[in-house]
Amino acid sequence: MATASVSGNREKELWRRLGEVNDPELDEPITEMGFVERAKMTSDGNVEIDFRLPTYWCSPNFAFLMLDGVRKALDQLSWAPAYRVKLHDHMFAEEVNRGMEAGKTFGDIFAELAEDQDLGALRETFRMKAFKRRQEAVLRGLREHGLTDREIVGMELPAYDVARFEPGEAAKQKPRYRAALLERFPDRRADYPVFVTWEGQRIPAGALGAHLAELRAVRVNMEFNGALCRGLKQTRYKELDVVDGEPTLVDFILDRVPARAAPTA
């Protein structure tokens, strides 16, 4: 019984860690996107991961960033298991899997596959988009909650932490925006405004509407790409159900994607 309990706790920890890895372009967990096809614990406590992307030709840069995130997540598991990660049905799957079996790092494996791009710069671009998408959701939620633009742009971290939303996009993104803010500005004082631009500039109350319009453009682009990925994966593997409330490609084509504000209290 104790062994079964330990195994169950470890499996929960495994999926929790994997759920912390995001698709870098979409800022959505790879587990929710269906990219982790299988995550299995063997009888000796080791871990096997089967990873599958929406298309055969997905950018090796994106594959690298996600697989590197998976590796880091597995390295953080409390029982330090040996693990095997296998990429399926990708144009570089053979090279990736052969390299991993040989004990190479992802950096070594992808050194010649990364399309000569600066992966550090690419990672930073995705961090910026995630920052903006998360911020927009919380800003819209606070507006829907009845706060004035002046109250919102003047909000400091203590007030932000006690703000509450009903379940919805704002509630989901609230802790994620806080994490992104402190990752971007680790020395930020508690009495500084919570809502700033990616460059760290204050947002004047009169400019909040224009700022939100800029953030909306980022969100719509990310949601379109997310709908495209889900559609491609669903068509290719016939295994991914459409999540209730998630926009489809048809929604984008017909321009009927609403702003997903958090419900008011």
Side-chain angles (χ1 to χ4, degrees):
M1 183 69 77
T3 302
S5 176
V6 169
S7 177
N9 289 337
R10 286 180 173 181
E11 186 170 354
K12 289 179 181 178
E13 182 186 348
L14 171 61
W15 281 102
R16 177 175 61 81
R17 288 294 185 186
L18 291 174
E20 294 170 353
V21 181
N22 289 330
D23 178 309
E25 184 181 25
L26 308 177
D27 193 36
E28 297 185 30
I30 58 173
T31 50
E32 293 183 14
M33 294 299 298
F35 297 161
V36 180
E37 187 171 87
R38 186 178 71 108
K40 178 183 177 182
M41 282 180 48
T42 61
S43 58
D44 56 3
N46 294 331
V47 173
E48 297 178 353
I49 305 289
D50 289 313
F51 196 81
R52 196 185 303 268
L53 293 169
T55 71
Y56 180 78
W57 57 87
C58 278
S59 165
N61 296 329
F62 294 176
F64 168 78
L65 293 174
M66 283 184 273
L67 287 171
D68 191 50
V70 169
R71 176 188 63 80
K72 291 175 180 176
L74 296 177
D75 283 342
Q76 292 176 335
L77 291 172
S78 61
W79 70 100
Y83 54 80
R84 176 196 62 77
V85 181
K86 189 170 184 180
L87 177 63
H88 294 273
D89 296 337
H90 187 270
M91 59 182 174
F92 292 122
E94 183 177 345
E95 292 88 341
V96 171
N97 295 331
R98 185 170 60 241
M100 286 191 288
E101 288 176 3
K104 294 182 179 179
T105 66
F106 286 122
D108 292 336
I109 296 168
F110 278 88
E112 297 179 359
L113 306 180
E115 301 175 355
D116 296 324
Q117 290 191 23
D118 181 348
L119 289 179
L122 186 64
R123 196 188 298 269
E124 191 70 2
T125 296
F126 289 143
R127 283 181 60 212
M128 175 188 67
K129 290 182 177 180
F131 178 94
K132 291 183 175 183
R133 183 182 187 183
R134 297 175 190 186
Q135 185 188 84
E136 190 233 12
V138 182
L139 287 172
R140 287 189 290 107
L142 290 171
R143 270 187 161 186
E144 290 291 325
H145 212 62
L147 272 70
T148 67
D149 288 359
R150 186 172 300 280
E151 289 171 329
I152 292 171
V153 299
M155 180 175 284
E156 298 171 356
L157 200 56
Y160 181 87
D161 287 340
V162 299
R164 294 290 181 267
F165 299 106
E166 295 296 327
E169 189 68 6
K172 172 184 174 182
Q173 298 297 350
K174 180 173 177 275
R176 301 183 81 224
Y177 173 68
R178 188 188 199 279
L181 177 72
L182 296 182
E183 180 184 17
R184 174 66 173 163
F185 306 107
D187 298 325
R188 193 163 196 81
R189 285 173 27 187
D191 59 348
Y192 284 6
V194 172
F195 299 108
V196 293
T197 67
W198 174 250
E199 295 76 20
Q201 298 172 343
R202 291 173 178 261
I203 305 167
L208 184 58
H211 180 71
L212 276 166
E214 175 191 337
L215 300 186
R216 181 183 183 277
V218 173
R219 170 176 55 84
V220 169
N221 177 263
M222 294 174 76
E223 289 184 344
F224 176 85
N225 289 334
L228 179 62
C229 280
R230 290 187 182 91
L232 289 170
K233 191 172 190 300
Q234 184 181 21
T235 299
R236 189 182 188 197
Y237 301 115
K238 308 296 184 183
E239 66 184 13
L240 185 64
D241 293 329
V242 176
V243 179
D244 288 342
E246 291 290 349
T248 67
L249 287 177
V250 173
D251 293 321
F252 282 99
I253 292 170
L254 298 181
D255 193 25
R256 63 188 190 195
V257 181
R260 292 185 295 176
T264 57

